[in-house]
Amino acid sequence: MTLSRNDAANVAKVLSEALPYIRRFAGKTLVVKYGGNAMESDELKTGFARDIVLMKAVGINPVVVHGGGPQIGDLLQRLNIESHFIDGMRVTDTATMDVVEMVLGGQVNKDIVNLINRHGGRAIGLTGKDAELIRARKLNVTRKTPEMDRPEIIDIGHVGEVANVNTQLLNMLVNSDFIPVIAPIGVGDDGASYNINADLVAGKVAEALKAEKLLLLTNISGLLDKQGEVLTGLTTEQVDRLIEDGTIYGGMLPKIRCALDAVNGGVNSAHIIDGRVPNAVLLEIFTDHGVGTLISNRRRV
């Protein structure tokens, strides 16, 4: 394809704008949580894979953590296994956990690995059970109503939280020029499998690796103020105030708290970006404008 002079000039401008970012982040680790709409469109899937391969090619070390809730729900429906949710978390009995492992550790993980490899990368798929990459502990939900004397503890089955991350394995892969692709399944002390929220896994992996950035792909344009405008360049203190005044609420809270925990845990910055935008990862990392909300402990990143 032959570019017009104007198109060629625009390409040169973009490359020139990206150069300082490429130099700045070379050798650094970036953890990307991949999910939502970005996993559903062929165009977006291809764009994501090429973004990851390009990052590796210019010396950045991407680590991918993926979700797969819709795919799990589809297979459960086909198997006539009813889904139940408590506080947004899937109740995961033994039969459901078998499906979760099949979908996340098998189908979805290997599809992403294959896609990255087809575009020139060297991706390797993992679950948290491989070399005990993600040690998990059981997560219990507590609920209390005014008429209750004490909180009720609700058992939601094989749902867990991250207890520990095996950074030795990840560093070995990264330093060998592989791209780790992680399914959010952890292993408990008893060897049982646990379904863990992919945002939480990405955040804890980023913390453990002391990553430069955590990028959370979402189905919205970023963190919005009360007028519906995207907020960015936020410090953790500003985010805390937005939670207190009710600007951040509902389903966005867990994702924001994950980003806050990562930044407070040593990650330089967390980004909540719009996965519906083609090449969203590259736009956020390598351009002056970005496509989402940036949270850091500093005024400028």
Side-chain angles (χ1 to χ4, degrees):
M1 182 179 66
T2 303
L3 295 176
S4 69
R5 179 167 294 184
N6 284 340
D7 287 340
N10 287 333
V11 170
K13 181 176 182 297
V14 169
L15 291 174
S16 177
E17 183 178 321
L19 181 59
Y21 295 101
I22 292 173
R23 294 177 62 185
R24 178 177 177 181
F25 300 133
K28 302 293 179 64
T29 297
L30 277 67
V31 177
V32 184
K33 185 269 177 167
Y34 176 50
N37 284 52
M39 294 178 70
E40 296 173 7
S41 154
D42 286 341
E43 177 190 5
L44 292 175
K45 287 192 289 188
T46 297
F48 174 80
R50 295 181 69 176
D51 287 359
I52 296 298
V53 172
L54 179 58
M55 287 166 62
K56 192 68 175 179
V58 298
I60 297 170
N61 297 319
V63 175
V64 178
V65 177
H66 66 82
Q71 293 90 333
I72 293 170
D74 287 346
L75 183 54
L76 287 171
Q77 187 174 21
R78 292 204 301 271
L79 295 172
N80 292 317
I81 299 174
E82 193 172 352
S83 293
H84 300 281
F85 292 86
I86 293 176
D87 294 345
M89 291 175 286
R90 189 187 303 274
V91 177
T92 308
D93 59 14
T94 301
T96 301
M97 190 66 227
D98 288 343
V99 173
V100 169
E101 288 201 79
M102 187 188 310
V103 173
L104 293 183
Q107 174 197 339
V108 175
N109 188 270
K110 301 315 172 191
D111 284 350
I112 297 168
V113 166
N114 184 47
L115 194 61
I116 292 173
N117 290 345
R118 279 174 46 211
H119 287 88
R122 298 179 70 208
I124 185 163
L126 303 160
T127 74
K129 299 180 78 171
D130 293 306
E132 295 190 328
L133 172 61
I134 301 168
R135 294 295 298 270
R137 54 178 168 257
K138 185 178 177 64
L139 178 66
N140 287 315
V141 176
T142 58
R143 181 176 293 170
K144 189 176 188 306
T145 59
E147 60 273 10
M148 296 169 63
D149 293 332
R150 63 186 63 184
E152 175 189 12
I153 298 176
I154 304 172
D155 186 347
I156 53 176
H158 292 262
V159 177
E161 56 186 350
V162 177
N164 186 59
V165 176
N166 182 350
T167 56
Q168 181 182 8
L169 173 61
L170 291 177
N171 285 324
M172 180 187 71
L173 292 172
V174 165
N175 292 332
S176 301
D177 287 332
F178 288 104
I179 300 170
V181 178
I182 304 169
I185 298 166
V187 59
D189 290 339
D190 59 354
S193 300
Y194 287 93
N195 182 18
I196 310 176
N197 177 277
D199 288 338
L200 297 180
V201 171
K204 291 302 181 184
V205 168
E207 280 185 57
L209 293 174
K210 300 299 180 191
E212 176 72 16
K213 293 180 181 291
L214 167 66
L215 296 100
L216 303 173
L217 272 67
T218 69
N219 293 337
I220 60 173
S221 52
L223 177 58
L224 307 179
D225 63 18
K226 291 181 178 178
Q227 288 72 48
E229 299 295 324
V230 177
L231 295 167
T232 192
L234 299 173
T235 64
T236 53
E237 291 81 5
Q238 288 173 316
V239 174
D240 286 336
R241 289 198 292 270
L242 291 170
I243 293 173
E244 289 174 9
D245 71 16
T247 300
I248 304 172
Y249 65 95
M252 197 63 172
L253 265 174
K255 198 173 293 288
I256 292 294
R257 292 196 189 281
C258 168
L260 280 176
D261 287 346
V263 171
N264 288 327
V267 178
N268 189 44
S269 62
H271 304 244
I272 297 171
I273 62 177
D274 192 344
R276 302 169 300 180
V277 176
N279 303 109
V281 173
L282 291 189
L283 289 170
E284 183 65 19
I285 298 171
F286 293 143
T287 70
D288 294 334
H289 305 291
V291 289
T293 297
L294 179 152
I295 300 169
S296 75
N297 268 321
R298 299 185 297 174
R299 293 293 177 185
R300 297 177 65 86
V301 173

